[in-house]
Amino acid sequence: QVQLVESGGGSVQAGGSLRLSCAASEYTYSRACGGWFRQTPGKEREGVAAIDRRGSTTYADSVKGRFTISQDNAKNTLYLQMNSLKPEDTAMYYCAAIFPCYVASSALLRPSRRYEYNYWGQGTQVTVSS
């Protein structure tokens, strides 16, 4: 059973940085696509960033230039570096994976693709105060 374990959430002031990590078991990110999503109470889960098996990335407009998704295949770990955080970034953040994956990065954040993410982490809270 594949498991995704997130870490790195917490509380930070606006303008600060956090790095989220998502460690995967039983498969390597070299054959998977990875994504980060976030959700606040009463709202739909929103795609934030994704990376395909070739390392190509895509971002939501709201985080472009501030967030960076990356992966370390040797460690089976997906990362989300979040800089210049804003109060509106406050949410529960989830990592997810499509395995095996044949989807290009340009499609990974489309709502129609969300059902293809077959593995999800438990979520980690990020709180940004003004």
Side-chain angles (χ1 to χ4, degrees), residues 20-120:
L20 305 183
S21 300
C22 176
S25 63
E26 300 190 34
Y27 67 84
T28 64
Y29 278 110
S30 62
R31 293 187 288 152
C33 297
W36 288 95
F37 296 79
R38 64 188 182 187
Q39 189 170 24
T40 54
K43 292 190 177 181
E44 287 192 9
R45 195 166 292 188
E46 170 193 22
V48 174
I51 185 168
D52 66 20
R53 57 186 294 175
R54 292 172 293 182
S56 180
T57 59
T58 189
Y59 297 91
D61 288 343
S62 59
V63 307
K64 278 181 183 176
R66 301 188 297 121
F67 290 11
T68 303
I69 188 171
S70 62
Q71 61 190 31
D72 184 332
N73 290 340
K75 295 182 179 180
N76 282 359
T77 301
L78 184 72
Y79 301 99
L80 184 67
Q81 178 66 44
M82 304 185 294
N83 298 328
S84 301
L85 282 161
K86 303 176 181 180
E88 52 262 44
D89 294 319
T90 295
M92 183 72 77
Y93 282 72
Y94 299 89
C95 67
I98 300 172
F99 178 75
C101 184
Y102 307 100
V103 182
S105 64
S106 58
L108 286 171
L109 293 184
R110 294 176 185 169
S112 60
R113 290 285 187 178
R114 196 150 307 159
Y115 77 95
E116 296 188 45
Y117 285 87
N118 43 357
Y119 300 105
W120 289 84

